[in-house]
Amino acid sequence: MRTQIAIIGAGPAGLLLGHLLHRAGIDTIIIERQSADYVLGRIRAGVIEQEAAELLDASGLGKRMHAEGLVHHGIELAFDGDTYRVDFKKLIGKHVVVYGQTEVTRDLMEAREGFGGQSVYSAANVAIHDIDGASPSITYEKDGVTHTVECDYIAGCDGYHGVSRKSVSKSAITEFERVYPFGWLGLLVDQPPVTEEIHYAHHERGFALCSLRSPSRARYYVQVENGEKVEDWSDERFWDELRARLDPEIAGNLKTGPSLEKSIAPLRSFVAEPLRFGRLFLAGDAAHIVPPTGAKGLNLAIGDVKLLSEAMIEHYADKSEASLGVYSEKALERIWKAERFSWWMTSFLHTFPETGPFGRRIQRADFEYLIGSTAAQQSLAENYVGLPFA
Ligand code: APR
Ligand code: PHB
């Protein structure tokens, strides 16, 4: 098989890249380790920055997002029960769209099927070859047969655990990482959400988050120590812990029910530099991870893919290497700003055993400063709704 761009990974990064390139007449093959159903079964965050939503819209992907997504003009922050609303609309005239990443992925898969884009699911032992030469390729196994895809370039969109970043020689890559001493236990439930807007709560027992997928489906999280096992968290235990961390009035309105999904995700900040190695480009979680506080993961992937698709389109149109040459530098500029914001939101809202009472007072001061300063709120708002795409 031969294609122009071989894409590894059918998450939002890989699928969106394939979509944007197809619209410019560039051929792609997507190779994914899991089945399509497995990919669609993963529950991820659900907040889309305004500009990211506009990009999906402009690429013909916005129909269901408009029908089912919820436009949110602010978020709530609570500190030991004191609640403050950050009004994005008033502060900066912008909004976010609440629409699950799983739904974005489903829309992208349907669009790809619609234009007849080639995708290989359940591909085993994906391997990358000759990225430093002029004819790179990918091999994979399917049903016991080894296949080869020859291409001009490879896009590594295969997430944090993917093969792309790991195929690069250690001396060519620098990795920056911060692992947090806790994770998020998340629960999805078919009940009306307890708050109208997304509610981030700092509490001495730990962070809690009230989010939603629709007017009848809620998503909740509580901070848990590393090493906690989901089997040890019955639904009842989860609801009790969530209630204990919320303002009693909000806790009193919480509608509970059997969990549709419950899982623990560790929290990590991670960036790999650079994002280009010969004919291999990294985008999305393959290149960077943010802790979910602030919901930047999907949005960063969309930002990378916008830049990478534009660079590839320019390359095929003008035979120019210029944009491909600066992709890494340009993308990393925005990535680091989102890393900073996600790290700050995480630091401010979680309890850190090692920082003690001093750390808690600093966090309280952060909250007081925020509610007393329009400048601080504007800063939070512009980062949350998303810094401009390059
Ligand atoms: N070969 C082929 N595919 C692979 C391999 C491999 N060796 N390893 C991983 N994959 C696939 C995964 O199964 C997954 O479907 O790559 C895909 C990567 O998708 P995501 O993890 O969703 O990453 P990305 O597309 O960059 O999306 C970023 O998704 O992970 C969340 O929080 C993240 O919201 C962010 C967004
Ligand atoms: C979610 O709805 O899953 C969600 C919302 C906001 C976040 C993280 C996750 O910051």
Side-chain angles (χ1 to χ4, degrees), residues 93-120:
K94 289 191 165 176
H95 63 259
V96 292
V97 180
V98 171
Y99 187 62
Q101 177 174 321
T102 312
E103 305 312 317
V104 174
T105 308
R106 190 188 310 279
D107 295 343
L108 281 162
M109 280 184 181
E110 279 173 14
R112 188 164 183 88
E113 223 175 286
F115 65 73
Q118 279 193 78
S119 314
V120 180

Side-chain angles (χ1 to χ4, degrees), residues 8-15 31-34 38-39 42 44-45 101 123 126 157-164 283-286 289-290 296-299 301:
I8 309 181
L15 286 163
I31 297 158
E32 163 64 49
R33 174 163 67 179
Q34 306 287 357
Y38 181 96
V39 172
R42 293 192 293 233
R44 299 269 172 81
Q101 177 174 321
V126 175
C157 302
D158 47 353
Y160 181 69
H161 299 287
V163 65
S164 301
D285 273 19
I289 295 288
V290 283
K296 290 284 157 235
L298 169 63
N299 294 294

Side-chain angles (χ1 to χ4, degrees), residues 77-94:
L77 294 176
F79 202 99
D80 290 344
D82 298 333
T83 302
Y84 188 82
R85 175 168 188 264
V86 182
D87 187 333
F88 301 152
K89 194 173 174 185
K90 200 170 89 194
L91 288 160
I92 55 164
K94 289 191 165 176

Side-chain angles (χ1 to χ4, degrees), residues 252-325:
N253 291 330
L254 185 70
K255 292 200 167 56
T256 65
S259 56
L260 302 173
E261 192 263 4
K262 200 164 47 185
S263 53
I264 294 180
L267 263 67
R268 181 192 301 276
S269 296
F270 172 86
V271 182
E273 291 185 359
L275 306 180
R276 178 183 185 175
F277 307 89
R279 288 183 174 250
L280 168 68
F281 293 86
L282 302 180
D285 273 19
H288 43 76
I289 295 288
V290 283
T293 336
K296 290 284 157 235
L298 169 63
N299 294 294
L300 268 188
I302 293 175
D304 291 357
V305 162
K306 177 178 189 287
L307 274 180
L308 183 56
S309 64
E310 285 168 354
M312 286 173 164
I313 291 165
E314 190 178 310
H315 168 71
Y316 283 108
D318 308 349
K319 303 260 172 293
S320 144
E321 272 281 315
S323 295
L324 286 177

Side-chain angles (χ1 to χ4, degrees), residues 196-208:
E196 234 168 84
E197 292 182 322
I198 299 176
H199 180 96
Y200 292 87
H202 175 105
H203 189 275
E204 61 180 347
R205 295 180 68 90
F207 169 75

Side-chain angles (χ1 to χ4, degrees), residues 136-149:
S137 63
I138 289 177
T139 51
Y140 65 91
E141 287 163 26
K142 174 127 184 164
D143 304 325
V145 181
T146 302
H147 301 265
T148 303
V149 180

